[in-house]
Amino acid sequence: MKYLGLIWSNLKRKKLRTILTVLSILVAFVLFGYLAALRMAFNQGVEVVGLDRLVVRHKVSIIQLLPESYEIKMERIQGVEDATFATWFGGNYKDPRNFFAKMPVKHEEFLEMFPEYLLTDEERRAWLDTRTGAIVGRATADRFGWKVGDRIPIEPDIWRLKDSEGAWEFDLVGIYDGAEKGTDTTSFFFRQDYFHESRRYGEGQVGWYWVKISEPERASEIAALIDQEFANSPAETKTEPEGAFAQGFANQAGNVGFILTAILGAVFFTILLVVGNTMAQAVRERTRELGTLKALGFTHRAVSALVLAESLVIALLGGLAGLGLAWIQITAGGDPSGGMLPFFYFAPRDLLIGVALALMLGVVAGLWPASQAQRLQIAEAMRR
Amino acid sequence: MTEQGSGLVQVRGVDKVFTRGSERIHVLGGLDLTVPEGEFLALMGPSGSGKSTLLNLIGGLDRPTKGTVAVAGQRIDNLSDRNLAAWRARHVGLVFQFYNLMPVLSAERNVELPLLLTKLNKKARHQHVETALSVVGLQERSRHYPRQLSGGEQQRVGIARAIVTDPTLLLCDEPTGDLDRKSSDGILELLTTLNRVQGKTIVMVTHDPHAAACATRTLHLDKGRLSMEAAA
Ligand SMILES: Nc1ncnc2c1ncn2[C@@H]1O[C@H](COP(=O)(O)OP(=O)(O)OP(=O)(O)O)[C@@H](O)[C@H]1O
Ligand SMILES: [Mg+2]
């Protein structure tokens, strides 16, 4: 600790250079924070889904519909506990930019299969009693200031009403919370019976099925059995674990994880060069002073440790400030896309990774200059 | 002049050869030197004769190519780097021509540096620093940075740093080489006092006969050998 003053004084020697270096590290770590949150946004849906749920969709594409009659057939397959369907509704609330997912579901089976959506008993009962009832996640309710009892109009873009070109109207009966931090609370669910009797076309057709299985370790076997059941029918199926399904959804935006990692890699490589250069310069300028320290009795190792410590302090100053700033902004600002990225947050795990990265940056950038300082021979250094 | 067995510093049969690429530079050859405790020795000689080299060997900043160096009865030429560093911290005070102060540290923090290597706590270190600065007459300037001090004052800080650990031996390489007459006189007076009053053994390299006159003995180094007389 008594050397901290010495390290600090050295940092103040070239204030501007130190500040610029720290700032460039800070910027890199703010970027890290945002990219980590972004990656979380794309992957979280994948990480939090149940292992005991499969998704059955049309073999050709997710847009293709499946017969409603598949439900009973699936439920007869050994290992399938329950099957329930949903459909992508699309539609807009006032403005196409107000994006959130809207799906008709078989409400009772749905709530059973997705225990991570938390409703009060009263809200559950209200949904059972209201044909036009809908529930929505806390995030979306907060976003638009909705309260239970509100009437929510949705302009259709896929599913028209039988008797009108106008908007579908839903009665908001519940606002659900997520059981976990990563649980999606943006989606809007309404009753399939109301949907089926009010839509203009598509009778007997649904979007996809969720299948609950009793033994998650048999998931791929059961998935194969389901696809076999509907092989050679007009609507063949493709069954995947829910995680893979969500991942496929995310992958439509390109291999996001890879792109983000590549950007981060490039940024950190650059920062490594910046910090490494700063430290190498610092050692070169101070050859005589480092030699003097050794002459006074500082060991080779102590002098190289001082250099390494300086590099670490720079990296940690910039790194922690950057992570802190990113954390504040992401927490306060939230999802920058206005609803497209419901899981946009800075996870504690990523924060830890960030701190580890800062430490690594300090060590790696300081390694070469520190070894230069270590090798410095006193008599040589003092002659310069 | 081979006072075997006695003497704080004993240099015996020392060769020093520098290799620069394929070139070998013989600086010292078969050199013997004994410095009795309490002596104030001046080393003179032409530029490049190896005065600094010899001082570095005595101070454990470098090792001889051949021969032995002992201080206070302890061989230092065969110590490991680590042990040699510890030995320097305990036994030697160094004063340089260009002061070699840390520009980013105040006078008192510069003087404190060698104490960081000891087990002394902050308070004790502070007391030692105060004492050393008052010996050189600079306690008023303890918060000043090197750039705020004159050359003579900087050298006083350098001397305070050299004596703060109360070392056995004070080694000064042209301590007045960069100073005007008046400042030099002040520094020489200080060194003389340290020698006479505090009994410090001092080896001082100098080009200045006036400075050498303060010493109790003067030796001349030329062509790798020491002699009492200046080469004609
Ligand atoms: N580390 C080194 N590597 C190679 N040559 C060296 C080294 N140190 C000293 N020398 C050479 O050894 C010789 C003696 O150098 P030294 O510095 O001891 O001389 P000096 O008597 O102190 O001279 P000055 O009065 O100019 O300070 C010089 O020729 C110098 O070039
Ligand atoms: Mg010299």
Side-chain angles (χ1 to χ4, degrees):
Chain A
M1 271 307 106
K2 55 189 174 186
Y3 297 111
L4 212 60
L6 183 58
I7 294 164
W8 189 245
S9 303
N10 274 326
L11 286 174
K12 289 197 298 192
R13 171 187 316 242
K14 299 245 156 127
K15 280 209 191 71
L16 185 64
R17 183 172 73 193
T18 302
I19 289 171
L20 290 179
T21 306
V22 168
L23 272 182
S24 54
I25 300 170
L26 182 146
V27 170
F29 275 87
V30 169
L31 191 66
F32 167 83
Y34 268 89
L35 292 185
L38 205 58
R39 209 168 70 137
M40 181 60 89
F42 278 99
N43 286 344
Q44 185 72 341
V46 179
E47 287 176 14
V48 297
V49 295
L51 289 169
D52 58 348
R53 290 196 293 255
L54 305 177
V55 177
V56 186
R57 64 162 172 92
H58 196 285
K59 191 174 181 179
V60 177
S61 94
I62 178 77
I63 324 171
Q64 242 53 21
L65 300 175
L66 293 173
E68 199 176 332
S69 57
Y70 280 11
E71 180 173 350
I72 317 167
K73 293 183 183 162
M74 281 185 216
E75 282 168 355
R76 279 202 297 258
I77 291 170
Q78 218 242 318
V80 171
E81 225 168 70
D82 193 15
T84 187
F85 54 76
T87 307
W88 185 257
F89 184 74
N92 298 310
Y93 172 66
K94 289 183 179 163
D95 187 305
R97 275 174 305 184
N98 292 338
F99 175 86
F100 54 95
K102 310 163 196 76
M103 291 164 263
V105 293
K106 291 181 96 169
H107 54 289
E108 280 169 285
E109 290 179 6
F110 171 78
L111 285 178
E112 211 154 285
M113 205 180 283
F114 290 85
E116 63 261 45
Y117 298 133
L118 306 176
L119 286 176
T120 64
D121 290 342
E122 201 179 331
E123 287 169 327
R124 280 168 182 274
R125 236 174 293 120
W127 206 14
L128 287 184
D129 294 342
T130 319
R131 254 177 115 63
T132 55
I135 62 168
V136 73
R138 179 75 58 195
T140 298
D142 288 348
R143 183 167 160 214
F144 301 116
W146 292 346
K147 296 177 305 295
V148 168
D150 283 356
R151 198 130 233 267
I152 312 295
I154 304 290
E155 291 289 345
D157 51 11
I158 308 172
W159 301 103
R160 307 276 160 197
L161 283 162
K162 244 179 210 155
D163 45 12
S164 134
E165 291 301 324
W168 291 67
E169 301 231 323
F170 302 99
D171 292 299
L172 196 62
V173 295
I175 294 170
Y176 63 84
D177 288 297
E180 287 170 56
K181 171 130 184 146
T183 305
D184 167 45
T185 59
T186 65
S187 298
F188 180 91
F189 300 102
F190 53 96
R191 279 170 57 159
Q192 158 276 329
D193 47 0
Y194 171 54
F195 174 62
H196 283 195
E197 69 177 32
S198 309
R199 63 180 169 178
R200 193 178 294 177
Y201 32 73
E203 192 168 343
Q205 306 275 296
V206 300
W208 66 85
Y209 287 88
W210 283 300
V211 171
K212 187 170 160 99
I213 55 177
S214 43
E215 299 153 88
E217 59 281 3
R218 281 184 58 216
S220 50
E221 182 196 333
I222 297 169
L225 283 174
I226 294 172
D227 291 342
Q228 233 166 55
E229 172 78 27
F230 305 111
N232 303 317
S233 78
E236 295 192 57
T237 60
K238 179 169 166 154
T239 306
E240 305 171 299
E242 198 183 4
F245 180 74
Q247 182 82 72
F249 229 87
N251 281 352
Q252 288 181 343
N255 194 338
V256 178
F258 173 76
I259 294 169
L260 297 187
T261 310
I263 293 174
L264 264 186
V267 167
F268 276 92
F269 183 68
T270 312
I271 285 301
L272 195 67
L273 296 184
V274 170
V275 183
N277 182 50
T278 301
M279 289 313 300
Q281 232 173 309
V283 167
R284 228 175 301 129
E285 288 163 3
R286 276 184 239 157
T287 301
R288 205 183 168 78
E289 289 173 38
L290 297 177
T292 304
L293 285 177
K294 289 189 178 184
L296 294 180
F298 285 69
T299 57
H300 294 307
R301 194 181 298 177
V303 170
S304 84
L306 279 176
V307 172
L308 199 60
E310 197 173 319
S311 167
L312 263 175
V313 169
I314 290 185
L316 281 178
L317 269 181
L320 295 184
L323 290 173
L325 206 66
W327 191 81
I328 290 170
Q329 289 204 329
I330 290 169
T331 308
D335 172 11
S337 69
M340 300 277 277
L341 301 169
F343 304 108
F344 193 82
Y345 71 95
F346 202 174
R349 196 190 65 180
D350 287 328
L351 206 61
L352 281 182
I353 292 176
V355 173
L357 264 179
L359 281 170
M360 246 167 61
L361 176 69
V363 171
V364 175
L367 224 47
W368 168 250
S371 85
Q372 293 286 91
Q374 160 127 21
R375 280 201 295 266
L376 210 61
Q377 289 304 314
I378 307 172
E380 280 286 329
M382 308 290 280
R383 285 166 64 83
R384 295 203 199 150
Chain B
M1 42 175 284
T2 47
E3 308 103 301
Q4 282 289 2
S6 73
L8 182 69
V9 179
Q10 301 195 338
V11 178
R12 294 288 172 265
V14 158
D15 284 8
K16 183 65 188 179
V17 181
F18 289 111
T19 353
R20 202 182 273 143
S22 59
E23 198 187 351
R24 288 163 60 82
I25 310 163
H26 289 258
V27 181
L28 304 176
L31 187 134
D32 292 318
L33 169 66
T34 301
V35 183
E37 182 145 20
E39 184 172 55
F40 185 170
L41 173 68
L43 273 180
M44 298 189 75
S47 185
S49 57
K51 303 182 297 295
S52 298
T53 303
L54 177 56
L55 208 64
N56 284 346
L57 294 179
I58 297 172
L61 303 178
D62 205 350
R63 293 193 185 82
T65 313
K66 214 179 108 191
T68 64
V69 178
V71 176
Q74 187 186 5
R75 284 270 302 271
I76 60 162
D77 54 275
N78 55 5
L79 290 178
S80 68
D81 275 7
R82 167 175 279 273
N83 290 335
L84 199 54
W87 178 85
R88 279 197 302 275
R90 278 183 60 95
H91 296 286
V92 192
L94 296 166
V95 179
F96 308 92
Q97 177 176 2
F98 300 107
Y99 332 126
N100 286 1
L101 302 176
M102 305 289 140
V104 292
L105 299 181
S106 63
E108 60 181 357
R109 304 286 308 285
N110 263 290
V111 176
E112 188 192 15
L113 274 179
L115 295 177
L116 295 180
L117 299 167
T118 66
K119 290 207 167 65
L120 296 178
N121 64 24
K122 198 175 169 134
K123 193 157 164 262
R125 292 203 301 268
H126 186 69
Q127 272 167 2
H128 280 70
V129 170
E130 291 257 286
T131 310
L133 279 172
S134 76
V135 168
V136 301
L138 274 184
Q139 62 271 59
E140 245 78 276
R141 315 294 301 271
S142 60
R143 295 287 163 86
H144 289 211
Y145 285 83
R147 62 172 183 282
Q148 299 168 316
L149 300 172
S150 73
E153 288 165 340
Q154 289 188 55
Q155 192 58 296
R156 285 170 184 274
V157 175
I159 293 174
R161 180 178 66 185
I163 61 172
V164 73
T165 52
D166 196 21
T168 331
L169 186 61
L170 217 51
L171 302 177
C172 315
D173 197 345
E174 303 186 38
T176 59
D178 203 42
L179 299 176
D180 60 30
R181 179 88 277 151
K182 191 159 164 288
S183 308
S184 304
D185 285 345
I187 296 297
L188 289 169
E189 207 181 297
L190 182 55
L191 290 177
T192 310
T193 310
L194 285 170
N195 175 245
R196 301 241 174 94
V197 180
Q198 307 214 11
K200 292 263 173 263
T201 309
I202 301 178
V203 179
M204 173 177 72
V205 168
T206 185
H207 281 290
D208 180 5
H210 180 75
C214 298
T216 47
R217 180 163 67 128
T218 302
L219 287 174
H220 293 267
L221 184 61
D222 200 10
K223 306 206 170 63
R225 304 234 159 227
L226 281 170
S227 65
M228 298 286 284
E229 304 299 321

